[in-house]
Amino acid sequence: MDVRLDPWSDSRFALLERINTPAMRRHVGGPETPEQLLHRHRRYLALPAQGGVMFAVLADGAPAGSIAYHRREWRGEEIWETGWNVLPEFQGRGLAVAAGRLMLAALREAVAADAAAPGTLHAFPAADNAASNALCARLGFTDAGPCEFEYPQRSGRFLRSHDWRLALR
């Protein structure tokens, strides 16, 4: 399977709608309203201006999921955060690992070009999301243990998660 990352664009809203299902969003509080989804789409489009990127994950040219990195503050430190989704029909085929490796290569290139960029990437999968926690381990992250993670940021809603960390330098 040919896996590629394509920077988010207006044309990817339909992919976001396909991700917005009870099954796909069960670990992050459930589906969003149409207004929330449009707001999320606009945030994804604005990420490059803030030093991050949301990618559509393409498998043999077909939209199969998403993966991102962006800056955020975590416990008083600026870090990179990542998150991903893989549509059910593409799960279990190594797509998330391939997309993760491609995203890591892009982020490491960006970090190498900017000495002031954060040097650590974090992922915060829900504690009960076995597949995402296993993906973190496969990509070389270290589990720093359980935490209460606010998602979405500034929402006041906290999820029981794991804080996975990966040094980029």
Side-chain angles (χ1 to χ4, degrees), residues 16 20-21 23 26 57-58 67 73 90 103-104 106-107 120 128 142 154:
L16 193 56
N20 193 42
T21 67
R26 72 183 174 277
V57 177
L58 305 178
I67 193 165
E73 184 182 315
F90 292 96
M103 181 274 304
L104 285 171
L107 178 55
T120 307
D128 63 347
T142 300
R154 294 181 290 284

Side-chain angles (χ1 to χ4, degrees), residues 1 3 90-99 138:
M1 174 172 29
V3 178
F90 292 96
Q91 292 175 5
R93 298 177 10 191
L95 181 70
V97 172
R138 288 205 52 202

Side-chain angles (χ1 to χ4, degrees), residues 20-161:
N20 193 42
T21 67
M24 290 288 298
R25 304 244 338 133
R26 72 183 174 277
H27 295 291
V28 292
E32 295 177 307
T33 67
E35 295 79 21
Q36 290 170 319
L37 204 60
L38 184 56
H39 182 69
R40 177 176 297 282
H41 177 64
R42 289 179 179 145
R43 283 195 325 264
Y44 290 172
L45 291 170
L47 274 178
Q50 303 161 13
V53 183
M54 172 59 76
F55 297 101
V57 177
L58 305 178
D60 294 330
S66 63
I67 193 165
Y69 64 83
H70 62 93
R71 293 178 191 226
R72 78 169 288 154
E73 184 182 315
W74 174 246
R75 297 184 173 167
E77 174 186 1
E78 188 179 28
I79 64 163
W80 295 102
E81 178 188 351
T82 187
W84 49 81
N85 296 282
V86 175
L87 294 170
E89 62 268 28
F90 292 96
Q91 292 175 5
R93 298 177 10 191
L95 181 70
V97 172
R101 288 180 180 147
L102 290 170
M103 181 274 304
L104 285 171
L107 178 55
R108 283 188 169 116
E109 185 177 314
V111 168
D114 181 0
T120 307
L121 175 66
H122 291 243
F124 299 96
D128 63 347
N129 187 338
S132 283
N133 282 286
L135 175 61
C136 289
R138 288 205 52 202
L139 290 174
F141 286 74
T142 300
D143 187 0
C147 66
E148 295 297 315
F149 182 71
E150 187 178 24
Y151 184 84
Q153 195 171 358
R154 294 181 290 284
S155 68
R157 193 178 85 211
F158 290 83
L159 305 173
R160 182 98 173 122
S161 299

